[in-house]
Amino acid sequence: MQLLDGKKTSEEIQLEIAAEVQKRKSAGLKIPHLAAVLVGNDGASQTYVGSKVRTCEKLGLKSSLFEYPAEITESELLSVIKKLNEDIEIDGYIVQLPLPKHINEEKIITAINPLKDVDGFHPENVGKMCIGLPSFLPATPFGIMKLLEKYKIETDGKHCVILGRSNIVGTPMSVLLSRKSYPGNCTVTMAHSRTKNIPELCKTADIIIAALGIPGFVKADMIKKGAVVIDVGITRVEDSTKKNGYRIEGDVDFHSVASLCSYITPVPGGVGPMTICGLLLNTLKAAENK
Ligand SMILES: NC(=O)c1ccc[n+]([C@@H]2O[C@H](COP(=O)([O-])OP(=O)(O)OC[C@H]3O[C@@H](n4cnc5c(N)ncnc54)[C@H](OP(=O)(O)O)[C@@H]3O)[C@@H](O)[C@H]2O)c1
């Protein structure tokens, strides 16, 4: 079994990004600028956004954080989006999800200028991705593709079972891995909460991508020997032995599954760090597109 080390791979890609930023600076070009919009005070969202902003700074990109209280109205947030769309200084931005219940996420996402949509959630980018046109890929699937590529994981003709069909992970992952390219050319099965025979399906999978949000869902008896297992899940589980009161768990029961796999991602240190890479690569591209 070999670990798919997202932390190490992410550090390598980050060095490449920093070098690109430096090259742009030396050539007198604009420094890529990523903005993040954070609504409310959800702890996990604050952590994710904070880490994105800090990584930008570390790599020499510019970053801005716009924070608003959970009570912000939908129309106020739409005005914020309009300003960010018009701000020529900002190359790309994200609106951290989830948003408070009174705000329609679809409305907000479709208001983002697709050319600045570095999270790749706008319908225009999703549509382009589906038909194989250049677009911003959603950050997590993009990061997973980079990880597969870096470790030269064979995907051609492989059966890939994707657990979860969300717009941000499962669905785009199924599109990308069935594309006629590398990584891709997989035969993809996408499973969800109504799928009847998940253990049997998983048992036939060469590659499993688990994106459910259910700690330890994927167990040893669901794994074909030699499978590649990518664990996207991040769930905070209460843990009084930890300083912050919780620990992070993935969707895969790592301890029972790992020895059966050819490759597996750890949690943390697998897909998480690769997601930031996806976002920063998109930001660089947004600046280059200008
Ligand atoms: N590492 C990262 O950077 C990163 C990025 C994004 C997300 N995540 C994590 O990845 C996980 C998934 O995120 P998400 O946003 O895709 O979640 P989501 O929107 O909640 O989607 C979960 C998916 O899992 C399916 N599901 C739920 N229970 C199931 C069951 N018992 N059997 C089969 N399928 C089931 C759901 O099916 P239905 O569609 O039928 O409801 C849904 O499609 C979460 O832990 C999240 O925190 C990590």
Side-chain angles (χ1 to χ4, degrees):
M1 180 277 290
Q2 191 181 341
L3 273 189
L4 293 171
D5 190 338
K7 189 164 177 286
K8 181 171 145 267
T9 309
S10 162
E11 282 163 5
E12 287 165 13
I13 295 176
Q14 286 183 22
L15 284 178
E16 292 164 18
I17 295 173
E20 269 318 303
V21 173
Q22 198 47 51
K23 241 199 246 167
R24 286 182 63 86
K25 268 189 205 167
S26 309
L29 296 168
K30 186 181 168 304
I31 299 170
H33 188 163
L34 172 73
V37 176
L38 179 61
V39 178
N41 50 10
D42 175 70
S45 293
Q46 283 171 334
T47 307
Y48 298 146
V49 169
S51 150
K52 289 166 189 173
V53 167
R54 276 194 307 279
T55 310
C56 275
E57 284 159 7
K58 188 176 92 186
L59 305 185
L61 287 90
K62 278 194 190 166
S63 67
S64 304
L65 175 58
F66 297 94
E67 289 183 88
Y68 300 96
E71 298 72 37
I72 189 172
T73 66
E74 188 176 278
S75 68
E76 283 167 339
L77 190 56
L78 284 167
S79 306
V80 171
I81 300 294
K82 187 165 179 289
K83 275 198 195 126
L84 290 171
N85 284 344
E86 288 164 359
D87 188 337
I88 52 164
E89 170 52 31
I90 288 169
D91 298 296
Y93 67 95
I94 59 163
V95 178
Q96 185 65 40
L97 303 178
L99 291 170
K101 295 233 174 334
H102 65 276
I103 296 175
N104 181 333
E105 284 186 358
E106 257 173 44
K107 221 169 172 177
I108 301 298
I109 289 169
T110 43
I112 296 173
N113 176 352
L115 298 172
K116 293 189 174 190
D117 169 40
V118 285
D119 250 342
F121 295 160
H122 189 283
E124 189 174 313
N125 282 314
V126 176
K128 284 181 172 172
M129 173 188 69
C130 288
I131 57 171
L133 288 176
S135 65
F136 292 119
L137 300 180
T140 300
F142 188 13
I144 294 172
M145 296 294 273
K146 283 277 167 200
L147 193 59
L148 295 172
E149 203 181 301
K150 283 271 172 180
Y151 279 87
K152 300 186 170 59
I153 302 294
E154 231 185 277
T155 58
D156 216 278
K158 301 292 181 190
H159 179 210
C160 176
V161 170
I162 296 173
L163 302 172
R165 58 177 163 187
S166 72
N167 287 342
I168 64 167
V169 189
T171 295
M173 214 53 248
S174 72
V175 171
L176 294 173
L177 280 178
S178 46
R179 270 182 177 182
K180 203 170 185 172
S181 57
Y182 177 78
N185 280 323
C186 285
T187 305
V188 172
T189 301
M190 191 161 59
H192 44 76
S193 65
R194 309 295 169 92
T195 305
K196 301 267 186 238
N197 53 342
I198 289 183
E200 291 81 4
L201 283 173
C202 286
K203 196 85 193 168
T204 68
D206 303 302
I207 301 171
I208 295 179
I209 299 190
L212 307 138
I214 305 178
F217 182 93
V218 178
K219 305 254 188 290
D221 59 2
M222 293 159 75
I223 304 292
K224 178 164 95 176
K225 207 162 182 333
V228 176
V229 175
I230 310 283
D231 189 351
V232 186
I234 300 180
T235 305
R236 285 183 174 199
V237 177
E238 260 185 55
D239 186 341
S240 56
T241 68
K242 301 278 174 198
K243 234 190 346 202
N244 51 13
Y246 65 85
R247 64 176 189 277
I248 299 291
E249 282 202 6
D251 288 346
V252 177
D253 180 20
F254 186 90
H255 294 292
S256 71
V257 166
S259 63
L260 298 167
C261 302
S262 54
Y263 294 90
I264 184 167
T265 57
V267 174
V271 173
M274 293 306 297
T275 295
I276 295 198
C277 279
L279 176 67
L280 297 182
L281 287 169
N282 280 343
T283 306
L284 200 56
K285 186 169 159 188
E288 282 164 359
N289 284 349
K290 270 189 176 168

